[in-house]
Amino acid sequence: MLKKIFKWLGIILLFAIIGLAITVSLRQNVKYTAPYPDIHASTDSAVIARGKYLVYGPAHCADCHGPAGTEEQVNAGAEVPLSGGKFFPIPPGNIYVRNITPDATGIGNYKDEEIARSLRFGVGVDGRAIFDFMPFHNTSDDDLTAIISYLRTTKPVSNIVPKSEYTLLGKILKALVIKPVGPTGDVPKSVKPDSSVEYGKYLATSVANCRGCHTERDLKTGAFIGPDYAGGFVLESPVDPKYVFHTPNISPDQKTGHIYDWTEDMFLARFRKGKLIPQSPMPWGPFSRMNDMEIKAIYRYLKTVTPVERKIEKILVVNK
Ligand code: HEC
Ligand code: HEC
């Protein structure tokens, strides 16, 4: 009797595993759709200048899309080519950063609307769900236009970036869990740069990714799992994986907020100093070149977010 039950359980389990394996393999190339934003590159020099400022400054594209080993140059302000090739080794696999120069091996054959859709809706040009490394879902039409306009003016660099390599876990997540991440609410057509809380919020969430790093996230899916700005996101150093960072709590909590007693001038002075811990993944170099108004706007916004009591015991852990 018992033997029979086991036999049947075994058969059911076997079918379940086969079913899962088939589903996972069939869904490896699952294609998503999303609308194409009505965004077209411009040749206006002011628009291109704004794009360049964003790419090497607050939006720090160069920090990820620069060639491997150029972290220090990016930090020092060099305009490295955005030819891609680095990868992020996360539990789902090695996710390669793409070549975004206007070469045939980069974005040369992509339409402006396709690039805009990737950034806004997380649906790649090939229809894949893009891993949520980039925070540009609610970036304004004008700023996306500026960024794409600037990319079009850069020197084409031929560099074939390998496809991302997924682990078994990554394949399962890709088939069943990971979906494209798109905007929340209405995306603004343009946002006026000034020192307001509103503009600070826009920068912190949709351009500079303060929220994306200073909020705890699941490294398997990229999902936000902690309260906004309360820190605790675990990041390996991009220059030496021995160094592991737990991002500080930058919410205005009196007891545990890392910057609770910083004045606006102290915050500004900290940003001007750039990177102090050489292994830090925070793009301090690009941020140090943001203008005063923008840094102040971010400070003012961070003062208004919900305070969360959460002690981050150790910001830097060095593994042997
Ligand atoms: C934190 C790192 C990071 C930053 C910052 C970043 N990117 Fe990316 N980008 C990635 C990764 C990783 C991928 C590949 C994701 C994937 O394939 O799932 C990618 C992919 C892309 C793609 C390819 C989309 C496609 O359809 O294949 C474009 C275009 C792009 N990024 C543009 C930009 C621009 C423009 C900026 C700055 C405004 C930027 N990225 C900032 C990490 C980053
Ligand atoms: C790629 C992830 C990442 C991004 C993006 C990021 N941070 Fe950080 N941040 C970190 C890490 C890791 C640390 C701790 C290491 C260090 O101090 O460099 C940190 C430290 C800090 C500190 C404490 C610095 C000190 O000297 O005590 C402040 C303040 C801060 N971040 C604010 C911000 C703001 C504001 C933004 C957006 C403009 C931002 N961060 C974007 C990862 C990030």
Side-chain angles (χ1 to χ4, degrees), residues 90-235:
I90 54 173
N94 294 335
I95 311 300
Y96 280 85
V97 186
R98 316 313 306 169
N99 176 353
I100 55 169
T101 69
D103 184 76
T105 58
I107 56 164
N109 297 325
Y110 296 174
K111 296 196 188 82
D112 297 334
E113 316 73 297
E114 290 177 321
I115 301 168
R117 186 181 77 163
S118 297
L119 298 177
R120 183 165 291 171
F121 291 99
V123 175
V125 173
D126 55 4
R128 77 186 187 288
I130 294 206
F131 270 85
D132 200 25
F133 283 94
M134 299 179 282
F136 311 118
H137 313 300
N138 282 70
T139 307
S140 72
D141 286 357
D142 285 359
D143 281 345
L144 280 189
T145 303
I147 288 167
I148 296 169
S149 305
Y150 171 67
L151 293 181
R152 293 290 183 214
T153 69
T154 60
K155 194 168 140 266
V157 178
S158 171
N159 181 30
I160 300 172
V161 174
K163 285 207 161 113
S164 297
E165 296 140 0
Y166 302 98
T167 56
L168 176 62
L169 172 73
K171 287 182 180 155
I172 295 173
L173 292 170
K174 206 150 85 82
L176 306 172
V177 182
I178 291 165
K179 297 270 171 331
V181 179
T184 43
D186 292 333
V187 178
K189 176 155 185 331
S190 65
V191 181
K192 192 170 143 278
D194 57 20
S195 56
S196 66
V197 167
E198 207 38 50
Y199 187 57
K201 176 178 183 184
Y202 173 71
L203 288 174
T205 54
S206 304
V207 179
N209 211 22
C210 316
R211 173 173 175 258
C213 275
H214 285 274
T215 303
E216 188 177 352
R217 299 174 71 174
D218 183 342
L219 273 175
K220 295 192 287 302
T221 61
F224 286 80
I225 51 177
D228 280 5
Y229 302 102
F233 184 28
V234 180
L235 289 162

Side-chain angles (χ1 to χ4, degrees), residues 257-306:
H258 189 85
I259 57 172
Y260 176 75
D261 48 17
W262 292 20
T263 62
E264 190 167 286
D265 284 343
M266 285 162 74
F267 189 79
L268 197 62
R270 174 66 194 88
F271 273 79
R272 288 287 166 255
K273 282 197 190 119
K275 203 170 278 198
L276 298 180
I277 306 174
Q279 297 83 6
S280 173
M282 177 158 158
W284 283 109
F287 290 162
S288 72
R289 290 179 287 278
M290 285 196 282
N291 59 43
D292 283 14
M293 181 192 77
E294 292 188 331
I295 297 173
K296 285 182 184 166
I298 293 173
Y299 177 83
R300 290 172 194 177
Y301 165 62
L302 289 175
K303 284 279 163 202
T304 70
V305 308
T306 310

